[in-house]
Amino acid sequence: MLLLFLSTILIIPTLMGLGKIFTFFSQEKSISRNILIGILGLSLLLTLKSFFGAIDFYTEIITLSIGLFSFVYHKLYKDFCQFSKKEISLLSIVSLIILFCSSFHPYILDHFGYYVPTIKWLREFGMVKGISNLDLILGQMSIWHIFQAGFSHFSDPFLRMNGILLIIYSIYVIEKKSWIQLCFIPVLLLFSQSPSPDLPVIVFSLIILNEILKGNKNTNLLFAFSVFVFAIKPTMIWLPILSFLYSIFIIKSRFKYLIPGSLILILFFIKNVWTFGYPIFPVAIGDLGMYWKPNPEVLRISSQYAIMKTYDMQYSYSQIQQFSGFDYIKNWLFLNGIKSKINILFILSLLIFIIFTYIKKNKIITLICISIVIKSILVLSFSAQYRFFIDVFFVIIFVMFFHLINQKKSIILFSGLSIFFVLFLSFPNIIQKLAPSFRLGNYMAKFNQKQIYKPSTYDYNQYQTFKVGNLKLNVSNNYPYNFDTKPPAISTGFIFDDVKANIFPQLIDENNIQKGFIWKNLTPKEKKEAENVINNIKNNYK
């Protein structure tokens, strides 16, 4: 907690200072506005930087130096004087809870197989062309991870930026007096231990939603930030749709105000083409003929896996193919375990929100409903996993209770929910007993006294090195993920998929890993080398 607190008081002023630089001509004094624009601007600059090399230690030092200098030069610390003593006390209590919960061990599986490996690559090599050929999941390269890589050497080595973002969110809530959003913070504590992009997209979408409902006319910034959220996680497609519709039909803005957001969208497409070969990960649509695009067989296997994940891996792909139209819906709604209840709740919530929208007959709420329905149809069509529509619950609750929650009610709700989720994180064994189908509960660790000083982390650093063709690769021993394995590393699952497809990733330039990766068909010699890797993996699991 102590080290997280030090990271917070270093990073927040830095972002405030950078935000002031990006909005130099603005006279508006808003702490949260400066921070959010700082996040947006820095993320885009680091994304551009990552095309040309690693987001290294020197990049971080330059970022901190410029941001802190601007913070002091413009005397931005005086902006905190706007808060009353009661608001400072509330912010302090909320921040303390956030720091405590952020200090627990990470437990989301993507932390080990996607988040941390992505940040390691960005720190050491930058954005590598065709990296999806090495490990398909690395082709996502979320802009949120690019942003976090910029603070990962010194100021946030434990990758707890999500916890710091929750404190920033708390500042926004108190500054804007948007009290209903205070009630969301305890739930979002579950995402604070990992560099998950789920937390920022939920936080940013609720902020943008609040600004739209309050009639903010700065469509230039609203649309740009909405596209930025989409670039962090494309399942948030409803947000740029909403901002676009709001700009055109409510504010009646000219199209020139959509240019900054359009440029961010183009950057997003370029990033994906560079790492994945197609404009939107993981969909093989918009083939530009890039020679580093993934092998079709690997994409087919990935697509089949996504469909099986829709049904929580309770049915094989061949079984799902035999479903009737009715079976697709019925089996999804009535899966074994807690995910069935989430799916049913999702459909019921959507229906209730549609009815609520019809009754209210409010233009903005109607646009929100249309955007959410479009997103829901797309998610249900491709891969209806609950993690892809969890943001919809927040949106529906926010809109329906927007005018009903005052400060007193929000503090009561926040207190009750905070107690529940602090106990949830501190005593995960209770959750494991009450909800055995909640698999993530099995990966949660109890409170450790060392958390008071620094956040809990896992160390593994056990791997073997092999060579197949011109690629020297590292593979974790007796573990499927590479969170603590030196790059270039491949998850064991993708090694099996590659060999099954009779291909293997190769370096474009054997002497320069930053030149990127392609896939090649295995020669007889390379097939023996690949089979040796597989045999070693199998022996490790015996």
Side-chain angles (χ1 to χ4, degrees), residues 138 239 315 404:
L138 295 178
L239 196 57
Y315 300 93
L404 299 178

Side-chain angles (χ1 to χ4, degrees), residues 480-507:
Y481 305 121
N482 299 307
F483 76 99
D484 204 19
T485 303
K486 183 180 178 182
I490 310 180
S491 300
T492 54
F494 286 115
I495 293 176
F496 281 89
D497 290 344
D498 286 341
V499 176
K500 183 179 178 181
N502 197 41
I503 63 166
F504 213 80
Q506 296 289 280
L507 290 165

Side-chain angles (χ1 to χ4, degrees), residues 297-346:
E297 179 64 16
V298 172
L299 292 176
R300 187 183 68 82
I301 294 171
S302 173
S303 176
Q304 291 180 359
Y305 182 73
I307 292 171
M308 290 189 290
K309 285 287 286 182
T310 297
Y311 294 92
D312 197 32
M313 306 301 288
Q314 295 179 21
Y315 300 93
S316 67
Y317 181 74
S318 59
Q319 287 176 311
I320 296 171
Q321 289 294 95
Q322 295 172 5
F323 286 172
S324 64
F326 177 73
D327 288 335
Y328 275 111
I329 300 170
K330 181 193 67 143
N331 293 336
W332 180 73
L333 287 173
F334 299 104
L335 292 167
N336 294 324
I338 194 171
K339 290 182 182 177
S340 169
K341 298 176 179 61
I342 296 173
N343 294 343
I344 293 171
L345 182 61
F346 169 67

